[in-house]
Amino acid sequence: WDWGLMDDLTILNAGNGILERFWERSVQITSFGEFTPISALHSAIFYSIFEHCPDKFYIFKALEICLIILLWGFLAFRITKNILSIVLVPVITLSFHYFYDGFFYLSSQEPAGLLFLGIALYFFLKNLEPFLIDEQKLKDLSAKFNWGYWFIGLIFLFCAYGTKEPFISGGLALGLSYLYLCLKYHRTRYFRSFMLAGLFVVLITLTYGFFLLCGIRNNYSSHYIMSIPRMVSNLGPWLKKDFFNHIPWILLLVSLCCINRADLKKSVLKARLGIKWAALLGLLFYALYLFVLLPWNAIGYYAGPLGLFFAFFTTILISGFMSKINLRRQMVIVICFLVLNQVVCQYALNR
């Protein structure tokens, strides 16, 4: 067990105690050209608690990441109503080798960002549940747009922003998903609520991003701005090192579609609105996060959240197909991919 990976020693030397360490770390981060107060607070608390026992900190970080994976699996289950989702999200996530960097680097901010984004998604889902899952409430006109859940979700969304700047992509994804629901409810009394909720999230997220670019960006983050040449040059490493990890699951999805090709079109057309919304949201999570990362670096620990976003998106798509095959085949698929995860984990450990 060792300190000294990435920013560990810098954080440990930034004062004594939680408050002093939080202040010093905040000043350091801002001078680098970043604005992550939640990350600074997270570091100040846990580096103060574990400063004399890094072994327990590694164990705590591992438990924190396991909690995050289970949270996102639970969210997928709430949407699909398929118990397989709770298994598929962890299995797919842990087949992405950069996700393991969260276990190795104690100072990485991405896991905490995923935690806050997952909690935000939980409250946004509570807000949307009557419209996406509980169809009976729509039929008897008792569904209500709960602005309280939406507001709590917005608070946790800003906590994710304050953990790591690229998580503003999650806010854009959620805002756009509300605007998608506007199209589905354009002839109902809920149209205005969806439009206002979606537009507000998108506009306030864009305003926050503009503030980061114009008021905070400096030194370390001076090149973190839209640059087509940098984005194009970083596409190659993403294809080689990130997308390559997704190929087994893409092949599984294609195979399941071929097995169920007889009723594939019918299944797509009759899919619940909640499934379509979640699939779109998962795709937006992945695509927008990658879009924000590409000018900077789309590999390494930065790319860790892509593994969880891909897992969420893929689980939404394949859980229904997998439930149509017999239990023995389901178990064979899961066991095969658990073996794959062991290979990926070994590769990550060696790296």
Side-chain angles (χ1 to χ4, degrees):
W1 308 104
D2 190 27
W3 294 116
L5 291 176
M6 217 158 58
D7 298 328
D8 292 335
L9 295 181
T10 304
I11 299 172
L12 285 168
N13 292 328
N16 297 306
I18 293 175
L19 291 178
E20 186 178 345
R21 189 167 276 136
F22 168 65
W23 175 254
E24 291 292 331
R25 186 59 182 160
S26 298
V27 172
Q28 287 176 355
I29 290 173
T30 306
S31 68
F32 294 157
E34 300 179 76
F35 184 69
T36 54
I38 302 298
S39 176
L41 180 61
H42 184 274
S43 298
I45 293 172
F46 293 108
Y47 276 83
S48 297
I49 293 173
F50 296 108
E51 64 179 318
H52 300 299
C53 46
D55 52 344
K56 293 180 176 62
F57 197 178
Y58 277 99
I59 295 168
F60 169 79
K61 191 73 179 286
L63 293 174
E64 184 181 39
I65 293 172
C66 291
L67 173 66
I68 292 164
I69 298 174
L70 290 174
L71 169 63
W72 282 79
F74 172 73
L75 292 170
F77 167 70
R78 287 288 295 270
I79 295 164
T80 62
K81 297 298 182 183
N82 191 326
I83 197 68
L84 275 173
S85 301
I86 298 177
V87 177
L88 286 172
V89 169
V91 172
I92 300 173
T93 301
L94 294 173
S95 67
F96 188 70
H97 69 99
Y98 283 128
F99 190 81
Y100 288 89
D101 286 357
F103 295 98
F104 305 149
Y105 299 123
L106 296 177
S107 58
S108 60
Q109 302 151 350
E110 284 74 14
L114 288 171
L115 176 63
F116 287 120
L117 183 60
I119 297 172
L121 178 56
Y122 171 79
F123 284 104
F124 281 117
L125 186 59
K126 288 285 288 183
N127 166 245
L128 292 172
E129 200 165 27
F131 309 96
L132 299 178
I133 299 170
D134 195 347
E135 297 177 355
Q136 184 58 41
K137 288 187 177 180
L138 281 175
K139 291 177 181 178
D140 60 21
L141 299 177
S142 63
K144 293 182 180 179
F145 192 92
N146 193 315
W147 287 98
Y149 285 132
W150 176 87
F151 182 72
I152 296 172
L154 193 63
I155 291 173
F156 281 103
L157 198 56
F158 268 88
C159 288
Y161 297 171
T163 304
K164 190 84 172 186
E165 294 93 336
F167 283 104
I168 62 173
S169 61
L172 289 176
L174 284 163
L176 292 173
S177 74
Y178 272 91
L179 296 179
Y180 165 74
L181 292 175
C182 285
L183 302 176
K184 297 297 182 180
Y185 286 93
H186 67 283
R187 293 182 180 178
T188 71
R189 60 193 176 100
Y190 308 112
F191 170 78
R192 183 178 295 179
S193 297
F194 286 124
M195 184 177 66
L196 289 175
L199 283 176
F200 186 82
V201 174
V202 169
L203 290 176
I204 201 169
T205 301
L206 291 176
T207 302
Y208 186 88
F210 185 76
F211 158 71
L212 292 176
L213 285 176
C214 299
I216 300 296
R217 185 171 57 92
N218 186 27
N219 295 331
Y220 177 72
S221 59
S222 60
H223 297 293
Y224 192 75
I225 193 169
M226 198 60 57
S227 170
I228 301 300
R230 288 176 63 86
M231 294 176 74
V232 172
S233 66
N234 284 329
L235 267 177
W238 169 75
L239 285 168
K240 182 181 178 181
K241 298 187 177 182
D242 295 355
F243 184 76
F244 181 78
N245 264 180
H246 303 329
I247 290 177
W249 294 101
I250 294 173
L251 292 176
L252 175 63
L253 176 60
V254 172
S255 300
L256 290 172
C257 288
C258 292
I259 293 172
N260 296 277
R261 63 182 180 274
D263 61 344
L264 178 61
K265 186 176 181 180
K266 187 188 298 183
S267 299
V268 172
L269 291 175
K270 290 189 175 182
R272 288 189 291 105
L273 179 58
I275 300 294
K276 296 176 181 177
W277 171 82
L280 173 65
L281 180 62
L283 181 62
L284 288 172
F285 275 149
Y286 190 99
L288 292 175
Y289 191 85
L290 176 63
F291 184 77
V292 172
L293 275 190
L294 275 177
W296 182 251
N297 190 353
I299 59 175
Y301 65 93
Y302 302 101
L306 291 177
L308 187 55
F309 294 151
F310 178 79
F312 180 77
F313 169 68
T314 308
T315 296
I316 299 299
L317 292 182
I318 71 173
S319 58
F321 289 130
M322 281 193 64
S323 63
K324 294 181 180 179
I325 61 179
N326 61 51
L327 182 60
R328 181 178 296 177
R329 288 185 177 180
Q330 290 178 17
M331 293 301 296
V332 168
I333 290 171
V334 171
I335 290 171
C336 286
F337 279 101
L338 284 173
V339 173
L340 171 66
N341 287 359
Q342 292 184 38
V343 174
V344 171
C345 180
Q346 184 64 47
Y347 170 76
L349 285 166
N350 289 335
R351 176 169 57 79

